[in-house]
Amino acid sequence: MGRIADNLARIRETLPAGVTLVAVSKFHPAEALMEAYGAGQRVFGESRPQELAAKYRELPKDIEWHMIGHLQTNKIKYIAPFVSLIHSVDSLKLAEAIDKEAAKAGRVLDVLLQLHVAQEETKFGWDAAELEHFLQEKILMRLEHIRVRGLMGMASLTDDMSQVRDEFRTLRHAFEAFREKYLPEMDILSMGMSGDYPLALEEGATMVRIGSSIFGARAY
């Protein structure tokens, strides 16, 4: 087995049943993805729509592609025909634009709503009160070509693991509250990356996004 296959095997051993592993393959070449594919990985996450579309064209068609990065409205068209899940819906404007492109592609697109839980301003996402307003008013539910599957969030980049745990817990509580009140069909809580995913799992993640621990440091 190659290094990537070894890394995948090691990570899979740490994941509880029912947790989806998204292999974050952005900036890595198709050969690296094929090594992971050969080791049984089928869910890959990319953050640039054009790179995602190029890899989709080149690689096996049973791959499930996730868009995990900040998405600009003018780039949705590149991925709408085939993407499986968009993790990073962080505004009503973006949700409406995805709905429009999904309609053109004749699809209903699964999305996650990105909640801002980190103490860093650089992270994108709704704040909980704003998102609650849109859910309460059923504004997002009126969009017929998107299906809200759950929430996504990123913890602060810090060595303080108690802060990271608190942020993941905040995200899980929001997920549970919104599911109970507005969206009983929500089933995905996407949180946790290479450096903090064990904590995310402890706090209830159903999907983790892992890149460098699988593929190594990326070449920009």
Side-chain angles (χ1 to χ4, degrees):
M1 284 206 304
R3 178 180 58 86
I4 289 171
D6 288 341
N7 292 344
L8 269 171
R10 196 172 59 246
I11 290 161
R12 283 194 188 118
E13 281 171 11
T14 67
L15 300 180
V19 171
T20 301
L21 169 60
V22 181
V24 177
S25 49
K26 59 185 184 180
F27 312 125
H28 292 286
E31 304 85 72
L33 277 75
M34 277 311 296
E35 190 181 329
Y37 182 91
Q41 183 63 26
R42 292 292 180 272
V43 183
F44 291 90
E46 293 279 334
S47 62
R48 293 175 174 175
Q50 285 105 318
E51 185 181 348
L52 177 48
K55 285 176 176 169
Y56 167 74
R57 288 192 293 271
E58 189 178 343
L59 292 164
K61 290 298 173 274
D62 61 338
I63 287 176
E64 190 181 299
W65 293 102
H66 289 202
M67 175 68 201
I68 59 168
H70 180 63
L71 182 57
Q72 294 170 306
T73 52
N74 62 340
K75 302 281 174 67
I76 302 162
K77 58 181 183 262
Y78 295 115
I79 60 171
F82 66 87
V83 73
S84 288
L85 183 65
I86 297 174
H87 284 237
S88 43
V89 177
D90 58 4
S91 68
L92 180 60
K93 181 183 165 208
L94 180 58
E96 288 172 339
I98 292 170
D99 183 67
K100 201 165 143 191
E101 289 297 334
K104 283 187 205 166
R107 300 184 70 205
V108 175
L109 281 178
D110 285 347
V111 303
L112 303 179
L113 306 175
Q114 183 171 355
L115 203 61
H116 187 281
V117 290
Q119 290 182 18
E120 299 161 44
E121 287 307 308
T122 53
K123 300 276 197 289
F124 294 99
W126 316 75
D127 75 59
E130 180 190 25
L131 182 53
E132 176 133 35
H133 165 73
F134 286 119
L135 293 175
Q136 223 165 13
E137 299 297 319
K138 297 200 168 15
I139 292 165
L140 288 167
M141 291 73 140
R142 287 181 205 141
L143 302 174
E144 290 177 6
H145 290 271
I146 65 172
R147 178 169 49 217
V148 178
R149 291 288 302 278
L151 298 185
M152 181 274 248
M154 285 186 274
S156 298
L157 203 57
T158 172
D159 293 330
D160 181 354
M161 286 299 135
S162 62
Q163 182 187 332
V164 170
R165 186 184 289 282
D166 285 348
E167 290 167 359
F168 285 149
R169 194 165 286 170
T170 298
L171 193 58
R172 188 189 81 230
H173 288 161
F175 172 74
E176 288 169 349
F178 293 160
R179 183 173 61 183
E180 197 177 315
K181 288 195 226 167
Y182 312 113
L183 289 161
E185 63 279 12
M186 286 205 310
D187 60 349
I188 298 173
L189 180 55
S190 171
M191 61 185 192
M193 301 191 290
S194 288
D196 56 22
Y197 83 88
L199 280 184
L201 292 171
E202 286 173 20
E203 293 304 324
T206 68
M207 184 175 277
V208 292
R209 310 178 302 272
I210 300 179
S212 55
S213 293
I214 296 171
F215 295 105
R218 53 196 189 218
Y220 289 92

